[in-house]
Amino acid sequence: MNWYVIYTKPKWEKKVAEQLKQAGIECYCPLITQMRQWSDRKKKVEVPLFNSYVFVQLAESDRNSVFLSSGVVRYLFWLGKPAMVRDTEIETIKSWLTGPNSDSVSVVPYQVGERIKVASGPFSNQEAIVQEVSKTHYVLVLESLGCVLKMNIKGSKNPIESI
Protein backbone atom coordinates (compact mmCIF):
# COMPACT_ATOMS: atom_id res chain seq x y z
CA MET A 1 0.00 0.00 0.00
CA ASN A 2 1.15 3.51 -0.78
CA TRP A 3 1.29 6.65 1.35
CA TYR A 4 -0.66 9.54 -0.22
CA VAL A 5 -0.96 13.17 0.83
CA ILE A 6 -4.41 14.63 1.33
CA TYR A 7 -5.16 18.33 1.54
CA THR A 8 -7.54 19.36 4.33
CA LYS A 9 -9.56 22.39 5.24
CA PRO A 10 -7.47 24.93 7.19
CA LYS A 11 -6.98 23.93 10.86
CA TRP A 12 -8.71 20.55 10.28
CA GLU A 13 -5.62 18.31 10.20
CA LYS A 14 -6.10 16.70 13.64
CA LYS A 15 -9.88 16.34 13.17
CA VAL A 16 -9.43 14.67 9.78
CA ALA A 17 -6.77 12.30 11.15
CA GLU A 18 -9.10 11.28 13.98
CA GLN A 19 -12.06 10.77 11.62
CA LEU A 20 -9.93 8.65 9.26
CA LYS A 21 -8.63 6.51 12.15
CA GLN A 22 -12.22 5.91 13.29
CA ALA A 23 -13.06 4.83 9.74
CA GLY A 24 -10.20 2.31 9.86
CA ILE A 25 -7.87 4.17 7.49
CA GLU A 26 -4.17 4.23 8.33
CA CYS A 27 -3.12 7.88 8.56
CA TYR A 28 -0.36 10.04 9.97
CA CYS A 29 -0.55 13.70 10.97
CA PRO A 30 2.89 14.75 12.29
CA LEU A 31 2.54 17.13 15.24
CA ILE A 32 5.05 19.43 16.93
CA THR A 33 4.73 21.27 20.24
CA GLN A 34 4.97 25.05 20.13
CA MET A 35 4.67 27.72 22.80
CA ARG A 36 1.82 30.10 21.97
CA GLN A 37 1.17 33.36 23.75
CA TRP A 38 -2.17 35.02 24.32
CA SER A 39 -2.77 38.32 26.08
CA ASP A 40 -3.32 36.61 29.44
CA ARG A 41 -1.21 33.42 29.28
CA LYS A 42 1.33 31.24 27.51
CA LYS A 43 0.54 27.68 26.60
CA LYS A 44 2.21 24.74 24.86
CA VAL A 45 0.05 23.51 21.99
CA GLU A 46 0.43 20.70 19.48
CA VAL A 47 0.26 21.96 15.90
CA PRO A 48 0.63 20.05 12.61
CA LEU A 49 4.14 20.05 11.12
CA PHE A 50 2.62 20.43 7.64
CA ASN A 51 -0.32 22.84 7.45
CA SER A 52 -3.40 21.33 5.76
CA TYR A 53 -1.66 17.99 4.98
CA VAL A 54 -2.36 14.51 6.34
CA PHE A 55 -0.66 11.35 5.09
CA VAL A 56 -2.83 8.29 4.41
CA GLN A 57 -1.75 4.73 3.62
CA LEU A 58 -4.18 2.78 1.52
CA ALA A 59 -4.57 0.82 -1.70
CA GLU A 60 -5.11 2.63 -4.98
CA SER A 61 -8.63 1.18 -5.21
CA ASP A 62 -9.58 2.61 -1.79
CA ARG A 63 -8.45 6.19 -2.44
CA ASN A 64 -11.99 7.62 -2.54
CA SER A 65 -12.77 6.38 0.98
CA VAL A 66 -10.95 9.38 2.52
CA PHE A 67 -13.69 11.69 1.30
CA LEU A 68 -16.01 10.25 3.98
CA SER A 69 -14.26 12.71 6.32
CA SER A 70 -15.85 16.14 6.02
CA GLY A 71 -12.54 18.00 6.31
CA VAL A 72 -10.80 16.38 3.33
CA VAL A 73 -10.59 18.71 0.32
CA ARG A 74 -8.57 16.73 -2.24
CA TYR A 75 -5.44 14.72 -2.84
CA LEU A 76 -2.16 16.52 -3.40
CA PHE A 77 -0.98 15.93 -6.98
CA TRP A 78 2.56 15.86 -8.37
CA LEU A 79 3.13 15.79 -12.15
CA GLY A 80 -0.53 14.98 -12.82
CA LYS A 81 -0.68 11.99 -10.44
CA PRO A 82 -1.57 11.73 -6.74
CA ALA A 83 1.57 12.52 -4.74
CA MET A 84 3.04 9.42 -3.12
CA VAL A 85 5.45 9.45 -0.20
CA ARG A 86 7.96 6.64 0.36
CA ASP A 87 7.78 4.60 3.57
CA THR A 88 11.34 5.67 4.39
CA GLU A 89 10.35 9.34 4.32
CA ILE A 90 7.42 8.75 6.69
CA GLU A 91 9.74 6.80 9.00
CA THR A 92 12.32 9.61 8.82
CA ILE A 93 9.70 12.18 9.86
CA LYS A 94 8.53 9.93 12.70
CA SER A 95 12.07 9.34 13.97
CA TRP A 96 12.90 13.03 13.75
CA LEU A 97 9.80 13.96 15.76
CA THR A 98 10.71 11.50 18.50
CA GLY A 99 14.35 12.65 18.57
CA PRO A 100 15.95 14.98 21.12
CA ASN A 101 16.04 18.05 18.84
CA SER A 102 12.52 17.79 17.44
CA ASP A 103 11.72 21.39 18.43
CA SER A 104 14.48 22.79 16.20
CA VAL A 105 12.69 22.40 12.82
CA SER A 106 9.75 24.22 11.33
CA VAL A 107 8.20 24.18 7.87
CA VAL A 108 8.26 27.11 5.44
CA PRO A 109 6.94 27.36 1.82
CA TYR A 110 8.84 25.51 -0.94
CA GLN A 111 11.52 27.38 -2.98
CA VAL A 112 14.27 25.78 -5.08
CA GLY A 113 17.98 26.31 -4.16
CA GLU A 114 21.37 24.53 -4.20
CA ARG A 115 21.59 20.70 -4.12
CA ILE A 116 23.38 19.21 -1.07
CA LYS A 117 23.71 15.99 0.91
CA VAL A 118 22.79 15.85 4.59
CA ALA A 119 25.86 14.70 6.54
CA SER A 120 24.36 13.95 9.96
CA GLY A 121 21.12 13.52 11.86
CA PRO A 122 17.96 11.65 10.84
CA PHE A 123 18.25 12.86 7.23
CA SER A 124 21.90 11.74 6.82
CA ASN A 125 22.97 10.63 3.31
CA GLN A 126 19.82 12.08 1.76
CA GLU A 127 19.91 14.70 -0.95
CA ALA A 128 18.21 18.02 -0.32
CA ILE A 129 18.12 21.53 -1.73
CA VAL A 130 19.33 24.43 0.37
CA GLN A 131 17.19 27.52 0.39
CA GLU A 132 19.10 29.48 3.05
CA VAL A 133 22.19 29.20 5.23
CA SER A 134 22.80 31.49 8.21
CA LYS A 135 24.79 31.41 11.44
CA THR A 136 21.86 29.91 13.34
CA HIS A 137 20.06 27.63 10.86
CA TYR A 138 19.87 25.86 7.52
CA VAL A 139 16.75 25.77 5.37
CA LEU A 140 16.57 22.46 3.44
CA VAL A 141 14.03 21.38 0.81
CA LEU A 142 12.43 17.94 1.13
CA GLU A 143 11.59 17.59 -2.57
CA SER A 144 9.13 14.70 -2.47
CA LEU A 145 6.83 16.60 -0.09
CA GLY A 146 7.25 19.96 -1.81
CA CYS A 147 8.19 21.76 1.40
CA VAL A 148 11.16 23.20 3.23
CA LEU A 149 12.55 22.17 6.64
CA LYS A 150 14.26 24.77 8.82
CA MET A 151 17.01 23.20 10.97
CA ASN A 152 18.67 25.08 13.82
CA ILE A 153 22.42 24.51 14.02
CA LYS A 154 23.48 22.80 17.26
CA GLY A 155 27.13 21.96 17.91
CA SER A 156 30.14 22.61 15.73
CA LYS A 157 29.77 19.82 13.12
CA ASN A 158 28.29 20.96 9.80
CA PRO A 159 25.14 18.88 9.16
CA ILE A 160 25.31 19.37 5.37
CA GLU A 161 27.91 18.86 2.64
CA SER A 162 28.06 19.84 -1.02
CA ILE A 163 27.46 17.24 -3.74
Side-chain angles (χ1 to χ4, degrees):
M1 289 194 292
N2 298 316
W3 282 98
Y4 296 97
V5 183
I6 55 173
Y7 187 78
T8 68
K9 292 178 181 179
K11 310 284 187 204
W12 273 65
E13 302 90 346
K14 291 193 276 186
K15 293 177 212 161
V16 166
E18 186 59 35
Q19 289 173 358
L20 292 174
K21 284 179 186 174
Q22 288 177 356
I25 298 173
E26 176 73 24
C27 65
Y28 178 54
C29 180
L31 300 173
I32 57 174
T33 303
Q34 291 183 339
M35 184 65 75
R36 295 284 171 101
Q37 182 170 349
W38 286 268
S39 61
D40 61 337
R41 67 190 184 284
K42 286 185 180 180
K43 185 177 181 181
K44 285 186 179 182
V45 294
E46 280 192 326
V47 295
L49 179 61
F50 304 105
N51 291 332
S52 296
Y53 290 162
V54 173
F55 303 100
V56 293
Q57 186 178 35
L58 37 76
E60 175 78 26
S61 59
D62 297 330
R63 277 200 12 235
N64 286 336
S65 61
V66 300
F67 294 109
L68 297 174
S69 172
S70 58
V72 175
V73 176
R74 62 180 172 82
Y75 277 94
L76 183 68
F77 280 77
W78 179 258
L79 300 175
K81 296 180 181 178
M84 287 192 282
V85 181
R86 294 180 292 240
D87 288 335
T88 56
E89 292 171 331
I90 296 293
E91 291 306 316
T92 300
I93 293 169
K94 286 180 180 180
S95 67
W96 169 77
L97 288 176
T98 58
N101 297 326
S102 63
D103 60 343
S104 64
V105 178
S106 60
V107 177
V108 295
Y110 179 77
Q111 293 181 13
V112 177
E114 178 183 345
R115 188 169 293 281
I116 57 93
K117 186 180 223 181
V118 179
S120 65
F123 295 102
S124 63
N125 296 324
Q126 293 190 23
E127 290 186 16
I129 297 175
V130 176
Q131 179 188 354
E132 177 183 334
V133 178
S134 77
K135 292 180 181 179
T136 60
H137 66 273
Y138 294 100
V139 179
L140 304 174
V141 175
L142 182 60
E143 290 180 286
S144 62
L145 294 179
C147 66
V148 178
L149 298 177
K150 181 178 177 183
M151 295 176 53
N152 290 341
I153 300 171
K154 294 197 179 198
S156 59
K157 186 175 179 185
N158 189 356
I160 64 172
E161 59 188 38
S162 296
I163 294 181

